[in-house]
Amino acid sequence: MLLPAIACAGYEVPSIDNPVSSPPSLSGTVIKISGNIVIVASGGTEVSVLTNRQTHIFTFYGGLVLLDEICSDAGIEVWYARPEDNARIAPAASIRLPATC
């Protein structure tokens, strides 16, 4: 009986138009932005999050955010295109923030 429910449940990346998602691949606090890389403090370590032109960056309320509008010390949630993507080389698919600066 549970098998169909499990089969229908898949990895979902949120977007501005569709906030429904799987849990984020990474969450933490923004330390700084360097070029197209967002440095995030997560679980006591610093993680580099690569972005590219296809990365959707938006607020919890659905507003589009430019990379230079991400605030230091802001909370951040990151999703990759697939859950098995290697965060060291794969760009983020979606980044959700509480607000812009």
Side-chain angles (χ1 to χ4, degrees), residues 5 9 21 30 61 63 76 91 96:
S21 70
V30 176
Y61 309 105
I76 187 170
R96 187 164 55 196

Side-chain angles (χ1 to χ4, degrees), residues 1-88:
M1 189 92 156
L2 292 176
L3 187 56
I6 293 171
C8 292
Y11 181 73
E12 291 193 48
V13 176
S15 67
I16 293 172
D17 300 327
N18 183 15
V20 176
S21 70
S22 297
S25 303
L26 170 72
S27 61
T29 304
V30 176
I31 297 173
K32 69 178 183 176
I33 299 170
S34 179
N36 68 326
I37 299 172
V38 181
I39 309 298
V40 176
S42 179
T45 62
E46 289 187 11
V47 180
S48 296
V49 177
L50 301 173
T51 65
N52 64 17
R53 291 178 187 237
Q54 287 75 42
T55 302
H56 298 132
I57 306 172
F58 55 96
T59 67
F60 287 110
Y61 309 105
L64 182 64
V65 178
L66 299 174
L67 192 59
D68 63 355
E69 295 176 322
I70 296 175
C71 308
S72 291
D73 297 325
I76 187 170
E77 296 177 321
V78 179
W79 288 262
Y80 293 92
R82 293 172 303 279
E84 67 273 4
D85 281 352
N86 183 340
R88 291 183 179 207

